Amino acid sequence: MLRRFGLVLAVILALALILPSSAPAAGFPERDITLVVTWAAGGGTDTLARTLAKNGKKYFGVNINVVNRVGGTGAVGMNSVATGKADGYTVCMITFNLSTYRMIGLSDLSYKDFDLIALLNRSPAGFSVKTDSQFKTLKELVEYAKANPGVVTVGISGPGQPWHLSAALLASTHNLKFTFVPFDGAAPTRVALVGGHITMASTGMDEVLQFYKTKQLRLLAAVMPTRNPFFPDVPTVAEGGYPIENPIFDWRGLAVAKGTPPEILNVLRDGFRKAAEDPEYIKLMNELTLPQAYMEYDKFGEFLAGLEKSMGPVLDTVGLLKK
């Protein structure tokens, strides 16, 4: 009897050494979670991350500590998470640039190198003109651009950024030719528009909110399927007569290293879903006029796949696609 018991015990011990233990997942999280932000402290992405993380203990039982790892237009921080331990203790705030790295030859990194948690926000581009511009509608501007190739100048905050690609997608979809004028951010782009130095600006809609409220500029269209709830009187590009399939959004989401155990992913997805429903977080999103676009991991993946499908051809039209 004792011999048989000893044999059974030996088998159990052997199986314990071979089979993966579920104990870490069952107790997750047992220590604080790190949220990596790949952009500088004080910016919109950083502010959003810190507000989301502020009440982390309420939803995870541990603190969420935000760490900024900048460089390489976000690639440094994102790569550090993608190549780190797949234990769920390091979460990354992934952003729009992840969708372009491979296409422009900056990095081999893509969303497929992560296990996705959720999309938090996707911000649309807005096409705006000076208030006293001759163009009162998107249709008027597009018809003029068709008749005068290259004459319409469009201010953007850097090549390859979502606002540049949104305007380039409009141009490629509807056979237009714009002359793009890059600026170092949205602020100088706005100043150039109001000063009459460019015909149109392509920016984040939230970036021109104050100029829009003070009637220094007119928003011709929002590059999104439905109207922006913060700008309900601004028509979409489709309503303006120029639909765009798979619009290009600036976006922010959460992800962890590929291979994170399913049980841990479930905890993270549930906890961050609750954090994104927190009234304090929602209040900040509204104050920043950032549309709430929470999307579960599977739909998030579909969104990113569609976005890459749109961006390949448009990056090619502006000479940024690496072949």
Side-chain angles (χ1 to χ4, degrees):
M1 187 72 172
L2 287 174
R3 185 176 178 182
R4 183 180 298 175
F5 176 77
L7 181 61
V8 170
L9 182 60
V11 170
I12 291 173
L13 289 173
L15 287 173
L17 292 172
I18 296 171
L19 297 175
S21 172
S22 62
F28 180 85
E30 297 177 323
R31 63 178 189 274
D32 289 354
I33 295 170
T34 296
L35 177 57
V36 173
V37 173
T38 59
W39 301 96
T45 301
D46 179 73
T47 302
L48 184 150
R50 291 181 186 277
T51 306
L52 183 71
K54 184 177 180 180
N55 296 312
K57 194 159 190 177
K58 185 191 302 184
Y59 304 113
F60 290 99
V62 298
N63 294 317
I64 300 176
N65 302 317
V66 175
V67 174
N68 299 87
R69 291 180 191 158
V70 302
T73 61
V76 171
M78 290 190 224
N79 188 65
S80 73
V81 176
T83 59
K85 287 185 179 181
D87 59 5
Y89 283 101
T90 304
V91 179
C92 190
M93 180 74 77
I94 57 175
T95 59
F96 169 83
N97 294 81
L98 181 63
S99 297
T100 67
Y101 292 146
R102 285 183 303 149
M103 294 183 186
I104 66 177
L106 179 64
S107 168
D108 290 332
L109 201 61
S110 85
Y111 75 92
K112 294 178 183 178
D113 295 305
F114 295 89
D115 280 327
L116 302 176
I117 295 175
L119 175 72
L120 295 174
N121 155 254
R122 57 178 188 178
S123 296
F127 300 145
S128 56
V129 295
K130 191 179 177 182
T131 302
D132 59 4
S133 167
Q134 69 184 85
F135 306 114
K136 309 302 180 187
T137 65
L138 181 64
K139 184 178 170 90
E140 291 177 0
L141 185 141
V142 167
E143 288 182 348
Y144 180 84
K146 283 185 176 181
N148 302 273
V151 174
V152 171
T153 53
V154 180
I156 56 169
S157 57
Q161 297 303 310
W163 318 137
H164 175 210
L165 299 182
S166 289
L169 184 56
L170 174 72
S172 64
T173 302
H174 298 288
N175 197 27
L176 311 175
K177 184 178 180 182
F178 293 142
T179 296
F180 291 102
V181 183
F183 294 91
D184 187 20
T189 306
R190 294 190 302 255
V191 171
L193 181 67
V194 173
H197 304 297
I198 52 176
T199 312
M200 182 178 89
S202 180
T203 66
M205 296 185 74
D206 56 292
E207 294 175 327
V208 296
L209 177 63
Q210 294 308 315
F211 280 59
Y212 174 71
K213 284 183 174 180
T214 55
K215 302 189 184 303
Q216 296 180 74
L217 56 77
R218 179 188 303 112
L219 275 161
L220 298 180
V223 189
M224 57 191 303
T226 58
R227 291 199 178 196
N228 189 325
F230 300 108
F231 300 83
D233 57 334
V234 177
T236 66
V237 284
E239 290 174 327
Y242 301 95
I244 294 175
E245 186 179 2
N246 290 321
I248 293 172
F249 293 89
D250 189 16
W251 59 264
R252 301 173 178 92
L254 299 169
V256 289
K258 195 79 173 175
T260 299
E263 308 94 284
I264 290 177
L265 283 172
N266 288 339
V267 173
L268 291 170
R269 287 165 179 163
D270 182 61
F272 279 113
R273 183 190 308 112
K274 292 173 181 175
E277 293 170 350
D278 189 280
E280 189 172 355
Y281 173 76
I282 292 173
K283 181 174 181 290
L284 173 77
M285 295 284 281
N286 291 338
E287 288 173 352
L288 296 176
T289 64
L290 294 174
Q292 296 171 47
Y294 194 89
M295 196 178 286
E296 298 290 351
Y297 68 96
D298 50 349
K299 296 297 182 183
F300 187 14
E302 291 174 11
F303 162 71
L304 293 178
L307 187 62
E308 288 197 356
K309 183 179 177 182
S310 291
M311 287 201 305
V314 74
L315 282 167
D316 196 17
T317 66
V318 296
L320 293 176
L321 183 66
K322 183 180 179 182
K323 298 180 180 179

